[in-house]
Amino acid sequence: MNRIALFLPNWVGDVVMATPAIRAVRAAYPAAELLAVCKPYVADVVAGAPWFRDVIRFDKSGPRDQRFWAVARRLRSERIDAALLFPNSFRAALLARLGGCGRVVGFSRYGRGFLLSPPKLDATTERGRFVPTPIIDDYNRLAVALGSADPGHRMELFTTPADEATADAVWKQFGLGRYGRVALLNPGAAFGAAKFWPGDSFAALARMLVQRTGAGVLVLCGPAERELARRIAETSRSPHVYSLADNPLSLGLTKAVVRRSDLLVTTDSGPRHFAAAFDRPVVTIFGPTHLEWTETYFPKAVNLRLKVPCGPCQQRVCHLDHRCMTGITPDAVFAAAAGLLGRFPLPLSAEVRRAA
């Protein structure tokens, strides 16, 4: 094959979980050109990666050159030999077909089976219902169907020089190089408010990390979470807790600061997978979502989940008392974090880079 289009997932964390499969396709077809087709907001997840010749942005409501028919024409002009569809949408399969892709590999869901090429993969079901299984394994099945070897579970990301320069500026701004350890807190989640752990709990955890481990703490955020990050830093009442609330934000910056950190404590959101991709220890606080969907087999991860009668509900907003998240205490999260810090100190090479 000369040219392969990889239709990337639509969620930041899912793109990271697709990286073993992407890497395996690259290895299976070293002479082929790979093109990524993705939503604009996930493009920076794979920025700096050596796998793709180009990234084609697809946004049905975006600029004219990113809409369906423009992207279909672009794909047709590229003469794509095969398309691998990580998203399960009918639209993705239709776009691949109308884009002239010779072979279309994906899961047979949402009535799109007739648009796919053999073998048509079925998702795991039990009595006609989908059973929560690790997405990373499903993505790997797609790569194998296209002809790759077993991709394994090692996720991988890259940063750009611009990302690293921005992270260097943050390290200098807050004086983070003077701390023996730097812990990151990520309180947000694009999925919805049901995934949020209380801000006061994050603030209490930040105080514990400072007082008991001597760490500097940096609170991450997305554009919609600036006030939350600012409030966590202020509520911690510690001069050693900082936030990115007043900084220019980007996925590239988040990747670069995660890469040089000692630890990440996060909700079940995209940056959780950044930590695994950069081999950094991570504590993830789960609430309404199935852990089984996003299990990545990362050995430096601790996943905290409180079993409650109403969960996991998969709801974006809790209509009860949010007990699945409020019942997880700062003490429990600190114990998990301290255990990881003791077991997985930052390597010397990363220490030097971090202090730059």
Side-chain angles (χ1 to χ4, degrees):
M1 283 190 279
N2 296 318
R3 212 161 281 121
I4 302 171
L6 301 179
F7 286 58
L8 301 187
N10 297 329
W11 292 89
V12 168
D14 289 7
V15 174
V16 186
M17 289 188 283
T19 59
I22 296 169
R23 187 177 59 241
V25 171
R26 173 75 284 168
Y29 301 100
E33 293 181 341
L34 302 190
L35 299 173
V37 181
C38 67
K39 301 293 187 183
Y41 55 81
V42 303
D44 282 347
V45 178
V46 294
W51 302 313
F52 301 111
R53 191 203 79 196
D54 200 2
V55 175
I56 301 173
R57 289 164 173 79
F58 170 46
D59 183 354
K60 64 179 182 179
S61 302
R64 194 172 295 275
D65 65 347
Q66 295 181 7
R67 296 183 187 177
F68 187 94
W69 289 109
V71 174
R73 286 192 295 270
R74 169 71 188 278
L75 291 172
R76 190 169 288 277
S77 72
E78 293 282 359
R79 299 183 181 276
I80 304 297
D81 295 298
L84 188 154
L85 311 180
F86 291 111
N88 289 318
S89 68
F90 185 93
R91 183 183 290 110
L94 183 62
L95 179 59
R97 276 298 174 206
L98 294 178
C101 300
R103 183 181 173 200
V104 180
V105 176
F107 282 101
S108 184
R109 295 191 62 184
Y110 303 112
R112 69 179 194 173
F114 72 98
L115 294 169
L116 304 178
S117 305
K120 297 177 183 180
L121 303 178
D122 292 318
T124 303
T125 61
E126 184 177 273
R127 296 180 181 177
R129 299 182 61 186
F130 289 100
V131 177
T133 54
I135 294 172
I136 193 171
D137 287 336
D138 284 342
Y139 290 163
N140 286 355
R141 288 175 62 196
L142 292 171
V144 171
L146 190 63
S148 84
D150 180 3
H153 295 120
R154 181 177 64 86
M155 298 180 289
E156 186 175 17
L157 289 177
F158 301 84
T159 57
T160 67
D163 298 336
E164 293 296 338
T166 307
D168 284 341
V170 167
W171 243 245
K172 183 177 180 180
Q173 175 187 355
F174 298 125
L176 295 174
R178 71 183 187 271
Y179 296 99
R181 290 168 168 162
V182 175
L184 307 181
L185 306 183
N186 179 56
F191 176 82
K195 278 191 176 183
F196 283 33
W197 195 45
D200 288 346
S201 295
F202 266 114
L205 173 64
R207 282 196 301 275
M208 293 179 187
L209 289 166
V210 170
Q211 294 170 358
R212 301 183 191 180
T213 73
V217 176
L218 180 63
V219 186
L220 309 180
C221 61
E225 298 138 9
R226 291 181 186 272
E227 185 53 39
L228 174 60
R230 186 179 294 112
R231 180 162 51 84
I232 289 170
E234 292 172 352
T235 305
S236 74
R237 301 189 304 277
S238 171
H240 305 289
V241 178
Y242 313 93
S243 86
L244 292 178
D246 298 312
N247 289 66
L249 302 174
S250 68
L251 285 178
L253 171 60
T254 302
K255 288 194 297 181
V257 297
V258 168
R259 191 190 69 79
R260 61 181 69 190
S261 69
D262 292 87
L263 171 79
L264 174 67
V265 179
T266 179
T267 57
D268 176 25
S269 58
R272 164 199 172 197
H273 301 296
F274 291 0
F278 290 117
D279 198 35
R280 305 312 313 133
V282 56
V283 177
T284 304
I285 305 165
F286 278 85
T289 50
H290 282 280
L291 169 60
E292 292 78 10
W293 285 122
T294 56
E295 174 61 67
T296 60
Y297 313 101
F298 181 52
K300 298 181 182 179
V302 173
N303 300 316
L304 298 178
R305 178 172 58 177
L306 185 66
K307 290 186 177 180
V308 294
C310 53
C313 64
Q314 294 293 134
Q315 297 298 309
R316 294 175 184 267
V317 177
C318 179
H319 299 289
L320 297 175
D321 54 9
H322 210 200
R323 67 189 69 177
C324 62
M325 294 298 273
T326 59
I328 299 176
T329 66
D331 283 323
V333 179
F334 175 79
L340 286 175
L341 284 173
R343 289 166 53 205
F344 303 109
L346 198 67
L348 180 60
S349 60
E351 287 277 2
V352 174
R353 183 69 185 89
R354 186 184 65 188

